[in-house]
Amino acid sequence: MRKIVLGYVIMIFIPVIAFGYHYYTQIYGNLTQQFVESRQKILEQAYANMKTDFARIQSVHRVLQYNPYLTDYLDGVYDSDADSVYALTRYILPLYTQSMFANPEIESIVIYKMKDQVLPITNLFRDRSMLDPQTEDTVSALKAGQGIWLRADPNVSDPDLIYYQYIYNTQITERIGLLEIRVSNSLIRNFYAAAGVEANWRAILLSGQGNLLTNEAAELDNKTLNLLQSEERNFFINRKTIVNQLKLEPLDVRVVITGQVGDVFRSVKHKEVVLVTIIVLLLIILSIAYYMLASTITKRILRLARHMRTLNDDNLRQLTIQSGKFEKDEIGFLIVAYNSMVKRMDELINHVHRAELRNKEAAYQVLQAQIKPHFLYNTLETIRMVAEANNDKEVADISFWFGKLMRYSLSSARQETVLAKEIEMVSFYMKIHKMRLQSRLTYEINVALDDKRLACPRFLLQPLIENSIVHGASAVLRPVHIRLEAKETEREVTIDISDNGNGIPPEKLLELRERLSRHDDLRKAEEPVGVGLKNVNERVKEYFGGESRLEIISEPGKGTCLRIIIVKRTVTDFEDLDRRRRTFDSERVS
């Protein structure tokens, strides 16, 4: 049960929670990035609108610059104060009123006159001496057609703005006045509102070099300030702080808008809590259901395991099955099979004694069976000794050869030998037939390889020699010569058993080759030659593997050649053959 619970936690619970958290953070990060990018676009759009407002307000200078009554007034063309007051009242004041009405952000329009003879009017035209010296130094470098925007209070983020630009005479050769347009902070506040600065969002002004210009910058942490001074991107996220920035060219400042990620996704956070709560409750419910389901399975498995631990030779009782709805499921089937096995074990243990008695009886019968071959060997040896005592060499030799063949056939239970032993047994076999056929049979054995190291199946060559004698020497009256030749190349070992008998007819040869190539078993009723050759061929393929095989070469009237081709194996296979040969030699010595 502990393993099942631990497996559930490791394989299901933890991966689900980890994947859910990773997936949520990925989505959360993507949404945050998209939000920051959208706010940057909104900021850029708000700045484009503010530049339009700047251009609209700056157009007041063109209206005044190209009004001849205003330029004549500032140039001192009028000789009397009455003419100046008339021109001011009749032609200049309407321009002021129209400009103020068209631009509600403008709080005041003042022109600082450059010539002393010009009639000063406190609210509209002021003497140059009333201009702030620092401001005069700032605007003195302005060229014709060039203006400058200044912040009235540099310590706040939403100051009043002041625009300065010189007014020239009609020929644009002499400065005759300095236009000052004071704009309320509603202009920049409208910009902040369009950029989304509301609630907990803050706007901060920095210099072009990233230095602090307003008191609100104290709300930023040092890391965010460092990023603002070094970061080249227009927007980024520092932990939970969203930062968008943009350079305001007319004011030569950078506006930085900051906010908290949590404030942006406050509603998402609420839904997130609800979602996480639902997931946790669902996991708890599923865990309880899983535990209940697993317990119904594991309890029966544990009961079976405890019963199996108590099982021994003296306790072979079966496990009782409780009847119920789980009686015929897989575990119930397992318990039934277990009970059947226990019952069978009980039966087998009860029959062990009788089995031991039968084994003893079988061993006695095997001992009796071993006496028969030994009696045959001893009898053949007695015949050989009597024949030698009577100086009958032929009977002695044939008894010796036949005894060797019988001992080779019956004494060893192994199915493996070496080629030298096979050739030795074949020589005995041919000597016996030579004794029978006399001059009608001659043979020769040529071995051009190390036959003592080549392992092979027992009785590999005898069926082929027998085939040559039966279908070669015994089928004709003329002398027949049988030749056994073994040789090797780098790739293969070839063993040829050939005779100069009548050969095989083409139809019969084709049939034999087809039988060798087929994998189906031949019936006992078929010709023995076919069975013997098929048997040798299958044993060669099975033992040596690869492309090793038996081939039949025959020509009518000239004889037949049975060729065993043994394809040499790899180094690993030769080591295995060598190991088996050494095992065989050790058994033979022992």
Side-chain angles (χ1 to χ4, degrees):
M1 182 63 68
R2 291 195 299 269
K3 293 179 180 178
I4 291 179
V5 173
L6 182 62
Y8 170 77
V9 172
I10 295 177
M11 299 177 63
I12 298 177
F13 185 81
I14 294 178
V16 168
I17 295 298
F19 175 77
Y21 177 77
H22 176 73
Y23 185 70
Y24 171 76
T25 53
Q26 289 291 328
I27 294 178
Y28 188 78
N30 293 336
L31 289 176
T32 306
Q33 189 68 19
Q34 292 176 5
F35 178 79
V36 175
E37 293 176 358
S38 64
R39 284 196 64 89
Q40 185 67 27
K41 294 180 181 179
I42 293 173
L43 178 61
E44 293 174 355
Q45 182 62 42
Y47 175 56
N49 296 336
M50 188 175 68
K51 287 197 295 185
T52 302
D53 294 335
F54 281 158
R56 174 169 51 80
I57 293 173
Q58 290 172 197
S59 65
V60 174
H61 172 269
R62 290 193 296 273
V63 173
L64 299 177
Q65 173 68 58
Y66 295 106
N67 187 286
Y69 298 99
L70 178 64
T71 54
D72 289 345
Y73 181 87
L74 293 175
D75 201 14
V77 175
Y78 299 109
D79 296 331
S80 64
D81 293 341
D83 293 337
S84 298
V85 171
Y86 176 79
L88 175 66
T89 306
R90 180 70 176 83
Y91 299 106
I92 298 176
L93 286 179
L95 292 178
Y96 275 73
T97 303
Q98 181 182 0
S99 298
M100 296 285 288
F101 180 78
N103 302 281
E105 303 90 352
I106 297 178
E107 291 184 344
S108 64
I109 300 177
V110 177
I111 298 178
Y112 293 92
K113 61 186 184 65
M114 299 295 178
K115 294 183 178 182
D116 296 334
Q117 66 270 26
V118 177
L119 178 67
I121 300 176
T122 304
N123 294 333
L124 302 179
F125 298 96
R126 298 178 183 176
D127 191 80
R128 181 178 182 180
S129 60
M130 298 178 64
L131 185 64
D132 181 61
Q134 183 177 358
T135 303
E136 185 175 7
D137 293 339
T138 302
V139 302
S140 61
L142 293 177
K143 298 179 181 179
Q146 183 180 8
I148 186 173
W149 286 92
L150 300 178
R151 291 176 291 119
D153 187 355
N155 295 322
V156 297
S157 60
D158 54 348
D160 293 344
L161 303 179
I162 306 175
Y163 179 73
Y164 289 99
Q165 188 173 356
Y166 283 105
I167 297 177
Y168 289 80
N169 58 7
T170 306
Q171 291 78 24
I172 314 298
T173 58
E174 181 184 5
R175 294 176 177 176
I176 57 177
L178 176 63
L179 174 63
E180 177 190 270
I181 302 176
R182 185 175 293 272
V183 181
S184 67
N185 61 358
S186 62
L187 179 64
I188 197 166
R189 285 184 176 181
N190 291 336
F191 165 71
Y192 289 154
V197 179
E198 57 185 6
N200 294 328
W201 290 85
R202 295 288 181 269
I204 302 168
L205 296 180
L206 301 179
S207 66
Q209 293 75 28
N211 298 321
L212 303 178
L213 298 178
T214 60
N215 297 330
E216 289 85 346
E219 299 178 1
L220 297 179
D221 57 273
N222 294 330
K223 186 175 182 179
T224 303
L225 289 175
N226 293 333
L227 289 174
L228 285 172
Q229 294 175 356
S230 60
E231 189 72 37
E232 297 181 354
R233 293 183 299 172
N234 291 331
F235 56 90
F236 59 89
I237 300 176
N238 177 27
R239 295 181 181 175
K240 299 297 182 180
T241 303
I242 298 176
V243 178
N244 293 87
Q245 60 176 335
L246 186 67
K247 186 174 183 179
L248 304 180
E249 297 290 347
L251 301 178
D252 192 24
V253 296
R254 276 195 296 165
V255 60
V256 179
I257 299 177
T258 63
Q260 298 299 315
V261 177
D263 296 334
V264 176
F265 296 98
R266 191 178 303 278
S267 60
V268 177
K269 285 287 185 181
H270 176 70
K271 295 180 181 179
E272 171 191 342
V273 173
V274 175
L275 179 62
V276 170
T277 303
I278 293 175
I279 292 176
V280 171
L281 292 176
L282 183 61
L283 282 174
I284 292 174
I285 294 172
L286 290 177
S287 300
I288 295 173
Y290 176 82
Y291 175 80
M292 295 178 62
L293 177 63
S295 62
T296 59
I297 299 174
T298 55
K299 284 181 180 178
R300 292 189 292 160
I301 295 178
L302 292 175
R303 182 166 171 263
L304 176 62
R306 285 194 297 268
H307 186 275
M308 294 177 67
R309 291 191 186 99
T310 61
L311 201 66
N312 53 46
D313 293 343
D314 299 328
N315 180 19
L316 292 176
R317 61 184 180 86
Q318 300 181 21
L319 178 63
T320 57
I321 303 177
Q322 297 179 355
S323 59
K325 58 182 178 180
F326 299 113
E327 184 178 357
K328 296 183 179 180
D329 62 357
E330 287 78 3
I331 299 178
F333 175 77
L334 178 63
I335 295 175
V336 171
Y338 168 75
N339 286 335
S340 300
M341 181 189 68
V342 171
K343 182 179 179 182
R344 181 59 178 166
M345 288 173 61
D346 191 18
E347 293 176 354
L348 292 174
I349 291 176
N350 290 332
H351 296 325
V352 164
H353 181 65
R354 284 176 290 179
E356 289 178 352
L357 293 178
R358 287 196 297 269
N359 289 337
K360 290 181 179 179
E361 183 179 356
Y364 177 72
Q365 292 177 354
V366 169
L367 182 60
Q368 285 184 329
Q370 289 178 348
I371 295 175
K372 296 176 182 179
H374 287 293
F375 178 75
L376 178 61
Y377 304 151
N378 293 334
T379 302
L380 291 173
E381 182 65 17
T382 301
I383 295 173
R384 187 181 68 82
M385 292 174 62
V386 171
E388 287 185 351
N390 295 331
N391 201 21
D392 193 344
K393 183 172 175 56
E394 292 182 352
V395 175
D397 289 342
I398 198 169
S399 298
F400 175 75
W401 299 332
F402 184 65
K404 285 286 188 179
L405 285 175
M406 294 302 295
R407 189 179 297 273
Y408 181 74
S409 303
L410 302 176
S411 62
S412 178
R414 289 179 54 85
Q415 297 300 319
E416 184 181 275
T417 184
V418 293
L419 183 61
K421 194 67 177 178
E422 272 290 294
I423 293 176
E424 182 183 8
M425 292 301 107
V426 165
S427 66
F428 293 152
Y429 185 81
M430 286 194 293
K431 286 178 180 179
I432 294 175
H433 283 282
K434 171 67 175 175
M435 188 73 68
R436 180 175 64 90
L437 297 177
Q438 298 296 325
S439 61
R440 290 179 53 199
L441 175 64
T442 58
Y443 67 89
E444 64 175 313
I445 299 175
N446 294 326
V447 179
L449 52 85
D450 188 2
D451 54 357
K452 294 181 180 180
R453 295 182 57 85
L454 179 59
C456 66
R458 285 163 54 88
F459 298 104
L460 179 67
L461 303 180
Q462 189 271 339
L464 305 183
I465 294 292
E466 182 180 359
N467 186 80
S468 297
I469 293 175
V470 173
H471 298 278
S474 300
V476 296
L477 297 177
R478 59 181 173 81
V480 174
H481 182 75
I482 297 177
R483 177 184 176 86
L484 190 153
E485 183 179 10
K487 57 185 178 181
E488 67 175 336
T489 62
E490 293 182 357
R491 183 177 178 275
E492 62 187 19
V493 174
T494 304
I495 303 174
D496 288 346
I497 298 176
S498 58
D499 63 77
N500 59 349
N502 288 333
I504 304 174
E507 298 81 5
K508 185 64 175 180
L509 179 62
L510 180 60
E511 180 183 355
L512 288 175
R513 287 175 176 173
E514 289 179 354
R515 290 180 183 177
L516 294 181
S517 62
R518 292 200 303 264
H519 296 283
D520 55 327
D521 295 334
L522 294 173
R523 297 188 301 273
K524 298 292 184 181
E526 296 185 12
E527 281 194 53
V529 61
V531 176
L533 297 180
K534 178 75 172 181
N535 188 12
V536 172
N537 184 49
E538 293 299 329
R539 294 175 67 197
V540 168
K541 290 182 178 179
E542 179 181 357
Y543 186 85
F544 296 103
E547 299 179 359
S548 301
R549 61 197 180 277
L550 172 66
E551 292 183 352
I552 304 176
I553 305 170
S554 182
E555 187 175 352
K558 294 186 178 181
T560 303
C561 176
L562 303 177
R563 175 172 294 169
I564 297 176
I565 299 176
I566 302 172
V567 179
K568 290 185 178 179
R569 307 187 184 189
T570 60
V571 175
T572 303
D573 294 330
F574 274 121
E575 290 177 353
D576 182 61
L577 287 176
D578 210 25
R579 176 182 56 79
R580 292 195 292 179
R581 184 190 62 77
R582 290 195 299 269
T583 303
F584 170 77
D585 289 342
S586 63
E587 291 181 355
R588 183 175 60 178
V589 170
S590 62

